[in-house]
Amino acid sequence: MVQGDQEIRKGPWTEQEDILLINFVHLFGDRRWDFIAKVSGLNRTGKSCRLRWVNYLHPGLKHGKMTSQEERLVLELHNKWGNRWSRIARKLPGRTDNEIKNYWRTHMRKKAQERKKGVNNSPSNSSSSNSESSSSTVTTGDSFHFSKTGTRSFYDTGGSSDDHAAAAAAAAAAVIAFPGSNLDDNYQGLEGYDEKGFYSMDDIWKDIDLSEEKNMMIKPICPPIPSSSWEDCFWDDSLWKMDEFDESKNMILPQIDENGIGKANLTG
DNA sequence: AAAGGTAACAACCGCCATATG
DNA sequence: CCATATGGCGGTTGTTACCTT
């Protein structure tokens, strides 16, 4: 990857990239993707950054198997709205349109196969045919390919948890020094960076885990007590609560303008 | 134990809508 | 009002893990 006319990176995200992105989203909010893409030094398109954030890194996401209620809801809503994945996703807190889409695809394929079999073997068989009401365990086995300890098995080419701190530090350095420079350069001299400043994937997953366990329901928009976790500070599940009004979502994110001055609000 | 098939899911692509100059 | 940039959405593909034979 040459920096001058560097080609845009594609493919799986590394852990360093993830952390870098998380931190820059923390700093600049989750709207200005092109800007973030440039400023972060990630050789990714803004689009790619957004996708990664929305589908994977977002703190409010649930990572795991769909519950039977969710499955039922998906079926129900899809029946109602068709392939309006994003709309369906809004009704499923913590689930992304991509996830639901994937789920549906798999589900339908399975159903189609079952139906085929049913037709071939016993035409009167209706056990699996009603796709609207079959809320049974559709997702079998597998389902979750990475551990929340930050060591993803899926695709991951990323480094150890030491790299997290380095990447986090790189984010900080990059903010100050406005990069364009090689990421590796940004890591230099920043070893042992205190992870309290930025969060490693470990921490992030831990927090997500906790919040999931504590409440599958909705978090208050403003946490009563300042949390040590950055996403608690600026993230709430309002996004997932949004129904028809998601245009009005105003995430309260710390933001730093081009002069490096923090602002409280974000684009509306 | 190895091979093949399938499931799951991340990520990309193209199109469209909206925002901005 | 028009052109361009950016973001969002749905469809599709590619890769890996798991299961079955």
Side-chain angles (χ1 to χ4, degrees):
Chain A
M1 250 156 284
V2 192
Q3 197 62 15
D5 44 355
Q6 20 171 273
E7 52 195 81
I8 297 297
R9 259 184 66 80
K10 282 186 182 180
W13 283 65
T14 65
E15 220 158 329
Q16 287 101 324
E17 287 179 308
D18 280 348
I19 293 167
L20 204 47
L21 180 60
I22 287 169
N23 288 325
F24 273 92
V25 170
H26 180 204
L27 291 168
F28 297 111
D30 68 345
R31 287 273 164 178
R32 302 151 71 191
W33 293 112
D34 208 54
F35 176 73
I36 287 174
K38 279 180 190 133
V39 155
S40 64
L42 292 161
N43 292 330
R44 299 271 184 178
T45 63
K47 215 171 181 175
S48 178
C49 292
R50 176 187 160 271
L51 222 41
R52 182 61 176 172
W53 174 258
V54 167
N55 287 331
Y56 193 83
L57 297 173
H58 199 293
L61 293 179
K62 289 181 199 166
H63 294 272
K65 220 155 97 168
M66 291 252 191
T67 65
S68 53
Q69 287 110 310
E70 286 174 321
E71 287 173 5
R72 203 174 309 141
L73 199 53
V74 169
L75 292 169
E76 197 178 299
L77 294 177
H78 184 271
N79 189 39
K80 202 166 153 190
W81 293 331
N83 295 0
R84 304 276 161 214
W85 303 117
S86 61
R87 192 171 180 182
I88 294 171
R90 276 177 221 141
K91 292 287 184 189
L92 286 134
R95 301 294 183 188
T96 68
D97 55 350
N98 206 32
E99 197 173 7
I100 293 168
K101 191 166 57 181
N102 280 330
Y103 163 73
W104 182 259
R105 213 175 106 86
T106 308
H107 175 86
M108 287 316 288
R109 196 163 51 188
K110 205 178 274 180
K111 283 289 160 200
Q113 282 171 358
E114 282 176 15
R115 198 172 297 191
K116 224 185 223 173
K117 268 188 206 165
V119 168
N120 287 343
N121 297 338
S122 58
S124 61
N125 181 3
S126 62
S127 65
S128 63
S129 60
N130 191 352
S131 63
E132 276 72 48
S133 62
S134 72
S135 59
S136 58
T137 57
V138 174
T139 50
T140 58
D142 192 355
S143 90
F144 193 40
H145 289 296
F146 61 87
S147 75
K148 295 179 181 182
T149 60
T151 54
R152 284 162 295 159
S153 60
F154 187 81
Y155 272 1
D156 192 356
T157 56
S160 66
S161 57
D162 284 349
D163 295 332
H164 301 179
V175 173
I176 296 162
F178 262 43
S181 58
N182 192 315
L183 282 185
D184 292 339
D185 293 340
N186 287 326
Y187 301 149
Q188 296 294 324
L190 288 163
E191 261 181 332
Y193 179 81
D194 186 354
E195 287 193 355
K196 281 168 188 153
F198 290 90
Y199 276 70
S200 71
M201 293 302 287
D202 286 2
D203 297 321
I204 290 160
W205 287 127
K206 226 177 278 170
D207 276 356
I208 291 169
D209 255 356
L210 276 176
S211 66
E212 263 180 39
E213 282 167 20
K214 267 189 285 187
N215 52 337
M216 292 289 287
M217 305 310 291
I218 312 291
K219 274 194 272 182
I221 287 175
C222 295
I225 314 165
S227 163
S228 61
S229 133
W230 63 262
E231 77 257 24
D232 279 353
C233 296
F234 73 83
W235 177 255
D236 62 80
D237 284 345
S238 59
L239 180 65
W240 311 116
K241 283 187 287 187
M242 289 304 171
D243 186 3
E244 315 301 333
F245 298 101
D246 64 310
E247 289 88 0
S248 66
K249 71 184 171 211
N250 281 320
M251 290 172 58
I252 303 167
L253 292 167
Q255 190 181 10
I256 293 181
D257 65 21
E258 281 76 5
N259 299 319
I261 297 167
K263 289 189 277 186
N265 212 346
L266 177 64
T267 73

